[in-house]
Amino acid sequence: MPAPIRLRELIRTIRTARTQAEEREMIQKECAAIRSSFREEDNTYRCRNVAKLLYMHMLGYPAHFGQLECLKLIASQKFTDKRIGYLGAMLLLDERQDVHLLMTNCIKNDLNHSTQYVQGLALCTLGCMGSSEMCRDLAGEVEKLLKTSNSYLRKKAALCAVHVIRKVPELMEMFLPATKNLLSEKNHGVLHTSVVLLTEMCERSPDMLLHFRKVCLLVPQLVRILKNLIMSGYSPEHDVSGISDPFLQVRILRLLRILGRSDDDSSEAMNDILAQVATNTETSKNVGNAILYETVLTIMDIKSESGLRVLAINILGRFLLNNDKNIRYVALTSLLKTVQTDHNAVQRHRSTIVDCLKDLDVSIKRRAMELSFALVNGNNIRGMMKELLYFLDSCDPEFKADCASGVFLAAEKYAPSKRWHIDTIMRVLTTAGSYVRDDSVPNLIQLITNSVEMHAYTVQRLYKALLDDISQQPLVQVSSWCIGEYGDLLVSGQCEEEEPIQVTEDEVLDVLEGLLVSNLSTPVTRGYSLTAIMKLSTRFSSVNRIKKVVSIYSSSIDVELQQRAVEYNALFKKYDHMRPALLERMPIMEKTASNGPTEIMQTNGETEPSVPDTKHLPLVTQPANQANDLLDLLGGNDVVPVIQTTLPTKPASAGGELLDLLGDLSLSGGLAPAPSVPVSQPPFLLDGLSSQPLFNDTSAAIPPMTAYSKNGLKIEFTFERANPNPNIAVITIHATNTTEADMTEFVFQAAVPKTFQLQLLSPSSNIVPALNQGSVTQVIRVLNPQKQQLRMRVKLTYTHKGSPVQDLAEVNNFPPQSWQ
Amino acid sequence: MMHFLLLFSRQGKLRLQKWFTPIPEREKKKIVRDMTTMVLGRKPRSCNFLHWKDLKIVYKKYASLYFCCGLDAEENELLALEVLHRYVELLDKYFGNVCELDIIFNFEKAYFILDEFLLGGEVQETSKQVVSRSIEASDMLQEVSERPRSR
């Protein structure tokens, strides 16, 4: 068998390969040769073969069959063999391989070898990739070597001990005695590795930390060493650009940081040296800045006096002006860490930070953006926002989403005026509209709803934005929602904040219909615009056009759109009487921090938003006179608020009017019909509702009663008990008509004394057919916690034979079982 | 600590890989791919620091070779640049005007030098001379222990 080719020969050969296939072929050939050579147990060339294998492994080819060979090399007596063997072990073996453990004995022997370079190899290998088992077995040997006077071995043993502690933290204790006089070494290698070892021990164990702090008095020792480094003259061995052993300086500063953290005495002891390093270190080269950086980190982390902290922040400020990108980056990162604790000091550098937004480097821009948002406060909001919006315009797409979110958050917290807030939102939507997060659309809608006096201005601006560009979906969605809500303000030209534009109803509908057909619109956007068009049916006069649009889409392929269109169509056809109330102006939505349903307060577009505490809500749709009449009849303050439940699909129009009836009485948790917004219910009434069916046949039968009978209209009450809450009586009214003409637009309203609570559900219809051909039914739920005698006042309105009829009556003949 | 040190060329060919934590082979390959993609994709005058998972990545280009290392989040990036520079100086001292070819044809030597400078992801010797002397002595030992023939 000819001698295997030399390593360099092989490398040269492989590099001549022109294609991947050619290279693979060469490699396979050589691997075969190596394999047979291994099989022959060839000691002479094993080293050469493993070296070649390592090269091929680096190229990405499998080399696992060489693992055992590495072990054989390690066991050899030749230094060359050991060198390659240990290298191979570090590259090919890791703790996942079972073969790994076989190394333990070899390493143990080599740790006690007569030649320090062999010992060094063993220490290096153990320290790089020793498994926990190996560490446990060999920790004793390492500890022995930590106490040797041979600095070459001592430094390696120290780092090997660090690895052992990382792998097996429980063994930390055994290295403690050996650390006693580590810092009295003169050798920098040993000093450096000792500091690393001490750092590792202090970081892992608070007890160790205390021990080193109080017992060993580490801080003065470290301060002394650091001082010597700084004060000593030029030392050729350790000099780097005029600074003596920067690696050691930085490690000492880091250990000082850990020792000084949350300890006043230690922090005080290192105060002077930190100030000295901070002021005397040469800053022209990277190495000096590396030391300053570590110093700043230490100052900020320990309990330093304020003068020192200001010095640290000023160093960071100077870093920000440095030409070197790395230093600017590091400064921004550090300032971000300190902005919470030293906010004012960092604010002084705000303009420099904002300038960094214009930096070309992506990493710097990101840090500058994060820091800018952290610095925004009520005083600088206008200026900062100008810069940030400019940044949003020109930054890379990867930043836009985060920047937009940040702008929204900052604007929400510190907006100086509502107009400014809305302008800012508009700006974000128009410049980065497609990058805003999904949840920003509902948040913005909520914000816009709450800025009542800005509705006209907002809808106008959004309309204008839509005319320009319909590609940015969040913008389009918010705009179409607003146009749906406030379209009447748009066409009536009511804007105060800026010049009102002249736009007709048809133009608005054109725009919204354009959204429906455009292929830039997503299905969600189409849903928004269809709903907006529908809402305009109560605000615009061109109802026919809207009806047409809606009926077209009831055969849309998009299921979501189709469902909406069909429901809206039904609204036009069968429930037209409910349409105004259903589509009326959205109430103010109170923002809750949790994900729970938002509590909705009853209001309408023209009145001021109510504050939760004052339960006084003026209602405009009905004059208060009628309400007062009712109040008088029932003896003043006895009338009780009526709480309307809203079922998601069929809210009652009767509810709205009933509330009007009660005029300026307090309403607790009055709810408006809202097709798409979750609704909170007064808990007590829902206890029965959610968990039990409304009509429970197992309840004791209560005889029905005739509540009203006059002019051919008869209203009968039937009763059920709503289990499990026995305080709730469920009354179903049946209205029948004995006359020959239908009673149309029939509305039944009821009021109860103050100690009761009433809930009126939606009626089955509003036409009572003539001659008892059918009846209108409606469910009333009455809560009677005090078990008082039930009394009710009812008001009936209907149109009969062309003329409106209205009647008030009192119902007192409730059977006792209904309220006991 | 340093988690890994990689040397790769402008074309993404790996010239040296040192791992200081136990990682499965497949994952090592993935990390190498990620590093080469990220670093080679950087614009020429960007800063030398990146973020990848929870590690800080520090890289520096020397001639045609990229030196790239992955550090713990609390490490000093500016000092890491000095560490990389020191390694290049050591290589330079050993090979005399080191270039990529030296490292290709003498990769095992590059490893030996690295093992005298770093151990377990930390710097073990801060003096250039001491490291060089150790390498020279080891080489001498190698010469002596071998029979007079080259590998």
Side-chain angles (χ1 to χ4, degrees):
Chain A
M1 172 108 195
I5 66 170
R6 301 203 181 98
L7 170 66
R8 319 234 182 270
E9 193 68 47
L10 176 69
I11 296 176
R12 227 183 317 266
T13 317
I14 290 178
R15 281 171 65 77
T16 62
R18 272 161 302 175
T19 65
Q20 186 77 359
E22 218 180 306
E23 183 186 279
R24 211 170 323 144
E25 213 183 294
M26 290 180 192
I27 302 257
Q28 275 171 351
K29 202 166 124 217
E30 187 55 40
C31 276
I34 293 177
R35 271 189 157 105
S36 41
S37 179
F38 283 161
R39 267 197 297 272
E40 286 169 20
E41 298 285 338
D42 183 337
N43 287 340
T44 334
Y45 295 113
R46 183 177 287 124
C47 184
R48 183 187 290 190
N49 286 328
V50 170
K52 287 188 284 186
L53 201 56
L54 292 179
Y55 178 71
M56 295 190 286
H57 175 253
M58 183 138 65
L59 292 178
Y61 296 92
H64 44 271
F65 56 90
Q67 284 166 3
L68 266 173
E69 302 302 312
C70 294
L71 289 177
K72 292 179 193 162
L73 283 175
I74 291 172
S76 154
Q77 288 310 309
K78 278 165 56 178
F79 184 65
T80 318
D81 285 353
K82 282 189 188 287
R83 245 183 158 186
I84 297 290
Y86 277 118
L87 179 62
M90 282 193 274
L91 287 175
L92 300 181
L93 289 169
D94 62 35
E95 40 187 68
R96 277 148 237 275
Q97 323 294 340
D98 301 322
V99 186
H100 183 82
L101 280 172
L102 297 173
M103 272 203 299
T104 315
N105 219 29
C106 285
I107 294 185
K108 188 169 188 167
N109 292 335
D110 283 341
L111 283 174
N112 292 308
H113 204 273
S114 47
T115 316
Q116 68 174 17
Y117 297 108
V118 174
Q119 289 173 294
L121 284 176
L123 280 169
C124 182
T125 309
L126 182 61
C128 281
M129 41 86 75
S131 64
S132 326
E133 295 86 18
M134 276 174 74
C135 289
R136 252 185 262 268
D137 286 338
L138 301 170
E141 304 294 327
V142 175
E143 200 257 342
K144 224 168 43 190
L145 287 171
L146 194 51
K147 295 192 280 214
T148 176
S149 53
N150 180 336
S151 51
Y152 178 78
L153 292 176
R154 212 168 180 201
K155 73 187 183 205
K156 289 185 192 269
L159 288 182
C160 202
V162 170
H163 179 83
V164 168
I165 292 174
R166 282 179 184 152
K167 281 292 193 193
V168 192
E170 306 89 67
L171 292 174
M172 204 190 310
E173 291 281 334
M174 83 187 279
F175 295 108
L176 189 52
T179 62
K180 263 200 186 9
N181 52 0
L182 273 178
L183 288 186
S184 44
E185 265 275 358
K186 293 275 177 264
N187 181 295
H188 280 225
V190 178
L191 267 178
H192 185 275
T193 55
S194 307
V195 172
V196 174
L197 176 59
L198 291 167
T199 310
E200 188 69 30
M201 291 167 99
C202 288
E203 271 178 342
R204 278 186 185 265
S205 158
D207 292 330
M208 284 286 185
L209 177 61
L210 269 166
H211 175 86
F212 283 125
R213 210 190 258 153
K214 304 290 177 202
V215 178
C216 303
L217 300 173
L218 219 48
V219 175
Q221 291 186 59
L222 291 168
V223 168
R224 191 186 30 113
I225 298 171
L226 193 51
K227 202 166 189 145
N228 284 338
L229 280 174
I230 303 172
M231 307 300 266
S232 67
Y234 174 75
S235 146
E237 269 219 61
H238 303 108
D239 181 87
V240 179
S241 306
I243 296 182
S244 189
D245 206 342
F247 304 102
L248 183 56
Q249 287 195 37
V250 167
R251 280 325 294 232
I252 291 179
L253 286 164
R254 207 161 126 183
L255 183 53
L256 284 175
R257 179 153 83 240
I258 296 170
L259 290 167
R261 218 178 256 161
S262 41
D263 186 74
D264 290 318
D265 292 331
S266 305
S267 302
E268 219 200 293
M270 55 180 85
N271 222 34
D272 288 343
I273 192 69
L274 289 174
Q276 205 175 349
V277 174
T279 41
N280 291 344
T281 309
E282 186 66 45
T283 59
S284 53
K285 291 267 175 73
N286 180 62
V287 61
N289 289 319
I291 295 177
L292 275 179
Y293 176 40
E294 197 72 36
T295 314
V296 165
L297 290 176
T298 302
I299 292 174
M300 300 313 291
D301 220 6
I302 65 171
K303 294 193 158 237
S304 46
E305 52 179 40
S306 60
L308 204 53
R309 292 183 91 85
V310 170
L311 179 61
I313 300 226
N314 288 344
I315 292 176
L316 290 178
R318 276 206 312 274
F319 273 7
L320 278 179
L321 300 167
N322 198 305
N323 284 329
D324 190 337
K325 278 200 199 315
N326 297 328
I327 293 176
R328 286 210 298 278
Y329 177 85
V330 148
L332 287 170
T333 314
S334 314
L335 283 170
L336 197 55
K337 277 189 237 164
T338 62
V339 75
Q340 307 299 334
T341 46
D342 296 81
H343 192 90
N344 293 329
V346 181
Q347 280 281 2
R348 262 180 247 135
H349 301 280
R350 195 179 65 241
S351 49
T352 327
I353 293 168
V354 166
D355 281 338
C356 288
L357 284 173
K358 305 189 186 95
D359 201 297
L360 296 164
D361 186 295
V362 168
S363 318
I364 290 183
K365 272 204 274 232
R366 179 165 285 280
R367 286 276 177 271
M369 181 181 84
E370 287 166 7
L371 196 49
S372 302
F373 280 122
L375 286 175
V376 169
N377 63 24
N379 294 327
N380 57 34
I381 177 78
R382 283 188 194 266
M384 287 296 275
M385 201 50 86
K386 217 180 348 197
E387 295 285 345
L388 288 165
L389 286 172
Y390 181 71
F391 174 69
L392 184 63
D393 281 342
S394 52
C395 69
D396 297 327
E398 58 187 285
F399 290 120
K400 292 213 188 211
D402 292 327
C403 191
S405 303
V407 167
F408 285 149
L409 257 151
E412 208 175 300
K413 270 200 249 175
Y414 301 112
S417 75
K418 284 218 168 18
R419 158 124 191 215
W420 181 93
H421 197 169
I422 291 192
D423 282 341
T424 307
I425 291 173
M426 290 287 312
R427 177 88 184 268
V428 175
L429 284 178
T430 46
T431 54
S434 25
Y435 297 98
V436 298
R437 299 227 162 85
D438 291 337
D439 62 350
S440 43
V441 171
N443 284 344
L444 291 175
I445 288 177
Q446 188 247 329
L447 194 68
I448 291 171
T449 322
N450 291 355
S451 327
V452 176
E453 65 276 13
M454 304 295 302
H455 284 168
Y457 171 70
T458 312
V459 69
Q460 184 165 294
R461 287 212 57 192
L462 285 169
Y463 178 76
K464 284 200 274 195
L466 260 194
L467 289 177
D468 279 330
D469 173 22
I470 60 169
S471 62
Q472 305 197 82
Q473 298 306 298
L475 173 64
V476 174
Q477 286 167 11
V478 175
S479 306
S480 39
W481 190 92
C482 283
I483 293 174
E485 275 293 303
Y486 312 121
D488 49 328
L489 300 176
L490 186 60
V491 292
S492 62
Q494 282 185 22
C495 183
E496 289 167 0
E497 300 278 341
E498 63 175 22
E499 187 67 37
I501 55 173
Q502 307 299 327
V503 60
T504 64
E505 291 183 359
D506 277 318
E507 284 171 339
V508 175
L509 287 170
D510 283 339
V511 169
L512 287 176
E513 283 186 45
L515 292 176
L516 276 173
V517 299
S518 162
N519 48 13
L520 291 168
S521 300
T522 62
V524 172
T525 308
R526 290 209 178 90
Y528 269 91
S529 51
L530 188 62
T531 306
I533 292 175
M534 188 59 194
K535 283 190 201 168
L536 289 175
S537 72
T538 52
R539 294 159 174 70
F540 283 2
S541 52
S542 33
V543 184
N544 286 325
R545 178 171 175 183
I546 294 175
K547 272 194 197 167
K548 227 187 294 183
V549 174
V550 167
S551 60
I552 290 174
Y553 279 89
S554 55
S555 47
S556 159
I557 293 178
D558 182 337
V559 177
E560 181 69 37
L561 224 50
Q562 192 191 100
Q563 180 175 358
R564 282 171 202 247
V566 165
E567 285 176 3
Y568 295 154
N569 236 356
L571 209 56
F572 274 123
K573 295 208 167 60
K574 286 204 282 177
Y575 298 102
D576 208 40
H577 61 283
M578 294 211 282
R579 195 161 47 85
L582 179 58
L583 299 173
E584 74 178 10
R585 189 82 90 219
M586 201 66 87
I588 291 202
M589 297 174 236
E590 210 180 277
K591 191 157 191 168
T592 47
S594 63
N595 291 330
T598 44
E599 212 190 324
I600 299 174
M601 305 291 287
Q602 171 72 14
T603 184
N604 60 30
E606 279 101 311
T607 55
E608 291 220 278
S610 66
V611 173
D613 300 331
T614 69
K615 296 195 171 187
H616 194 85
L617 295 166
L619 295 163
V620 180
T621 43
Q622 281 255 346
N625 321 342
Q626 270 177 300
N628 288 333
D629 293 343
L630 193 64
L631 284 173
D632 292 342
L633 285 167
L634 279 179
N637 299 327
D638 278 345
V639 186
V640 90
V642 171
I643 296 126
Q644 184 83 36
T645 48
T646 22
L647 306 168
T649 48
K650 287 183 39 164
S653 59
E657 287 155 74
L658 187 64
L659 289 168
D660 301 339
L661 189 71
L662 294 171
D664 54 356
L665 286 174
S666 63
L667 293 165
S668 57
L671 304 164
S676 53
V677 178
V679 157
S680 73
Q681 321 273 3
F684 61 90
L685 275 178
L686 267 190
D687 289 342
L689 186 63
S690 48
S691 51
Q692 289 289 330
L694 268 175
F695 302 101
N696 202 330
D697 290 336
T698 60
S699 56
I702 304 168
M705 58 174 265
T706 304
Y708 175 91
S709 182
K710 212 160 136 187
N711 297 335
L713 177 63
K714 179 166 148 200
I715 297 182
E716 224 179 49
F717 283 6
T718 53
F719 299 91
E720 264 96 17
R721 276 255 177 256
N723 288 339
N725 192 336
N727 294 334
I728 297 180
V730 180
I731 306 171
T732 309
I733 71 154
H734 303 264
T736 46
N737 172 8
T738 52
T739 68
E740 328 90 59
D742 292 341
M743 292 170 178
T744 56
E745 286 160 47
F746 174 78
V747 176
F748 172 89
Q749 293 168 73
V752 288
K754 204 173 190 177
T755 51
F756 297 81
Q757 292 235 13
L758 190 89
Q759 189 180 20
L760 211 58
L761 302 176
S762 30
S764 59
S765 95
N766 62 350
I767 300 176
V768 191
L771 301 169
N772 291 337
Q773 282 166 34
S775 66
V776 168
T777 52
Q778 191 165 7
V779 174
I780 309 171
R781 293 161 59 85
V782 181
L783 177 71
N784 182 6
Q786 292 178 27
K787 299 260 189 250
Q788 293 197 353
Q789 185 188 8
L790 182 56
R791 286 155 54 209
M792 196 185 281
R793 180 150 291 270
V794 298
K795 177 178 169 188
L796 304 158
T797 50
Y798 54 92
T799 304
H800 190 236
K801 292 182 184 162
S803 34
V805 180
Q806 191 179 289
D807 197 9
L808 286 169
E810 213 175 295
V811 183
N812 286 325
N813 54 333
F814 284 98
Q817 300 100 303
S818 65
W819 46 268
Q820 271 168 352
Chain B
M1 71 178 263
M2 193 183 286
H3 284 243
F4 56 80
L5 174 66
L6 304 172
L7 266 66
F8 47 85
S9 70
R10 261 197 307 247
Q11 290 78 35
K13 284 194 102 80
L14 197 61
R15 299 298 178 205
L16 187 143
Q17 51 174 334
K18 186 76 187 178
W19 303 90
F20 296 107
T21 51
I23 296 176
E25 192 68 38
R26 198 186 311 172
E27 202 163 318
K28 281 186 194 167
K29 289 206 167 125
K30 180 169 187 304
I31 293 177
V32 171
R33 262 199 321 267
D34 286 348
M35 290 301 121
T36 44
T37 322
M38 276 194 333
V39 171
L40 293 174
R42 294 280 275 181
K43 291 198 210 111
R45 270 184 295 274
S46 325
C47 76
N48 298 70
F49 311 133
L50 290 166
H51 261 277
W52 183 82
K53 301 208 179 154
D54 56 345
L55 295 177
K56 284 182 180 169
I57 308 293
V58 176
Y59 73 94
K60 189 112 192 264
K61 184 162 185 274
Y62 288 91
S64 58
L65 263 186
Y66 284 89
F67 287 66
C68 169
C69 62
L71 313 165
D72 277 331
E74 66 258 11
E75 290 292 323
N76 184 325
E77 300 98 310
L78 298 179
L79 195 74
L81 282 174
E82 292 300 316
V83 170
L84 291 177
H85 191 74
R86 173 58 64 90
Y87 182 47
V88 173
E89 285 179 326
L90 290 168
L91 290 170
D92 193 62
K93 184 139 196 257
Y94 185 80
F95 290 108
N97 275 334
V98 67
C99 63
E100 193 183 342
L101 276 176
D102 290 320
I103 300 182
I104 294 171
F105 280 95
N106 301 287
F107 70 91
E108 83 276 17
K109 295 275 172 36
Y111 277 107
F112 297 151
I113 295 172
L114 186 62
D115 286 339
E116 287 298 322
F117 177 45
L118 302 177
L119 200 161
E122 308 278 359
V123 170
Q124 66 174 282
E125 181 55 63
T126 57
S127 158
K128 265 190 289 199
Q129 290 87 332
V130 172
V131 176
S132 307
R133 281 197 293 260
S134 313
I135 294 288
E136 279 166 31
S138 302
D139 283 350
M140 192 71 73
L141 194 57
Q142 192 172 308
E143 293 278 315
V144 162
S145 75
E146 274 181 13
R147 265 177 278 159
R149 71 166 167 75
S150 56
R151 199 167 356 101

